[in-house]
Amino acid sequence: MALTGRTIGSSGLRLALAVHSLDSVGGTEVNVFQTARELSRRGHQIDLLSPRAGALEAEYRSFCRSVNRTPIFDFARNRGLRDLIRMTPAVWSAVSRRPDVIYANRFSEVVWAAISGTLARAPVVCHLHEIRNRRPGNWPARRIRFIAVSEYLRRAWIDVGLPPERIAVVHNGIDPQFYRPGGMPERSEARAQLGLPEEGFVVLYYGRLDPEKGVEVLLDAWGRLGVAPGEGRLVLLGSASLHHPDPAGYERFLHARAPAGCSWLPPRADVLLFLHAADVVAVPSIWEEPFGRVVIEAMATGRPVVASRTGGIPEILSGSFKDLMVDPGDSAALATALGALMGWRQSKPELAARCADHIRHRFSLERTVDGIERVLTDAAHGAQ
């Protein structure tokens, strides 16, 4: 099928990829980057469009055909005409690349994507990473294919009006080379580098310090657990969200509330050293996580994860891992679940391998990109 003046063949697709941010802190940004890099390795040509610079820009430039800084992609109805005018350079930037597919990564970009796709005579695929509570309307949703990162997210978008037949589920995945399993030697080395006691029970939390992430619940659970500072440590790796009305004040509140035995560290893009130092990782989210990337990162290294039974997390902690979930907001249940994993290397020596195997077989980056590539290719060839 001829699109925009060229025939799609073995050379791969030309993708106009919209990326909201080139930073490397959030799970969505890391997912989009790793997916794009793998699509490039498979022979697809990527023209990247982003309104913001970031730490990943140099790496994007190493494999993209072009990286273009453009104004906004987002569209708000209450700023309709103004936003349409402001997104004109982004539309022109996409159309001029003669793409086979317009590939957006935020629902708020679909107006830009639909206009660009119409002018370029190219189909549009929108990757859904977030939850929306407001009905999107019939246009342009019925002209676009969607990818949801979990079945939970797919159902949430159907509930607000997206056509079910237009949404495919492709779970996020990780590249195992960046999340290598680590045994006791790796644990000892990591703890020495981080200044943590070689013995003792270490629980790791990493991500935004935010009420919806359940950090307060985790602090309460750690206090209930009653681990003496010399016998264990709760390591919290992250900072308050800039979207919080008072990020510095919220961090002070958490520090004041924290029981003994807590270590606070700033966020880092590379968390492998901290994962290797940990015995257990906690994901105590109160909100509905669209997927739960931290869960698969931690399990890939052989660490069991105690997580809230919310959003897309049950799709990861399935089968024999169901017992690792607790109800969101229940600090007593969280403390009990963490306590049950003290000494798990002696009582359940097979658990590390089971965690790593579960992620390698079901949530690999290769499997994720297979699914995304299938949707993009079907869209380019007009398959229904």
Side-chain angles (χ1 to χ4, degrees), residues 49-72:
L49 298 93
S50 179
R52 295 176 177 84
L56 292 172
E57 183 167 346
E59 292 191 68
Y60 269 117
R61 290 187 181 278
S62 71
F63 63 80
C64 289
R65 189 173 72 148
S66 65
V67 174
N68 310 280
R69 297 285 301 282
T70 66
I72 63 165

Side-chain angles (χ1 to χ4, degrees), residues 84-328:
L84 286 173
I85 294 171
R86 292 177 63 198
M87 72 171 58
T88 300
V91 170
W92 170 247
S93 185
V95 173
S96 65
R97 267 68 188 182
R98 299 174 63 223
D100 296 317
V101 180
I102 305 287
Y103 182 19
N105 274 276
R106 286 162 59 96
F107 186 84
S108 55
E109 298 161 358
V110 294
V111 173
W112 160 81
I115 294 171
S116 300
T118 298
L119 295 176
R121 293 186 294 150
V124 174
V125 173
C126 180
H127 208 137
L128 303 171
H129 302 272
E130 80 286 357
I131 299 169
R132 182 189 180 98
N133 296 320
R134 189 161 49 86
R135 294 186 68 84
N138 291 329
W139 189 91
R142 293 190 179 278
R143 305 172 56 194
I144 295 173
R145 296 167 187 265
F146 297 92
I147 301 171
V149 299
S150 64
E151 180 59 36
Y152 161 78
L153 192 61
R154 178 180 181 271
R155 292 195 303 268
W157 278 94
I158 291 171
D159 288 345
V160 297
L162 286 192
E165 70 277 6
R166 305 293 291 180
I167 312 174
V169 174
V170 180
H171 288 128
N172 289 335
I174 58 170
D175 188 336
Q177 69 173 315
F178 295 109
Y179 300 95
R180 300 183 305 277
M184 293 301 289
E186 288 80 8
R187 189 184 82 152
S188 296
E189 182 179 348
R191 291 188 177 189
Q193 291 188 46
L194 296 173
L196 295 172
E198 183 172 354
E199 300 302 325
F201 184 55
V202 174
V203 175
L204 172 66
Y205 168 88
Y206 65 98
R208 298 195 317 272
L209 302 181
D210 195 286
E212 69 183 13
K213 288 292 189 177
V215 181
E216 296 164 50
V217 178
L218 177 58
L219 294 177
D220 288 346
W222 186 252
R224 288 173 179 270
L225 201 55
V227 178
E231 298 174 350
R233 195 77 61 87
L234 172 61
V235 178
L236 299 108
L237 183 65
S239 60
S241 169
L242 295 178
H243 297 295
H244 192 281
D246 182 12
Y250 184 64
E251 288 193 23
R252 288 194 298 271
F253 164 76
L254 291 176
H255 283 245
R257 183 169 179 162
C262 294
S263 296
W264 303 84
L265 296 164
R268 285 180 45 160
D270 182 6
V271 295
L272 182 62
L273 187 67
F274 295 88
L275 287 168
H276 280 176
D279 296 303
V280 177
V281 174
V283 182
S285 299
I286 294 175
W287 78 311
E288 301 285 347
E289 291 277 359
F291 177 69
R293 181 181 173 90
V294 168
V295 179
I296 64 173
E297 290 179 351
M299 292 180 73
T301 69
R303 271 64 188 163
V305 176
V306 175
S308 297
R309 189 182 294 103
T310 181
I313 290 175
E315 296 172 47
I316 306 171
L317 294 177
S318 58
S320 62
F321 297 105
K322 288 181 179 179
D323 292 342
L324 296 176
M325 289 186 291
V326 299
D327 290 336

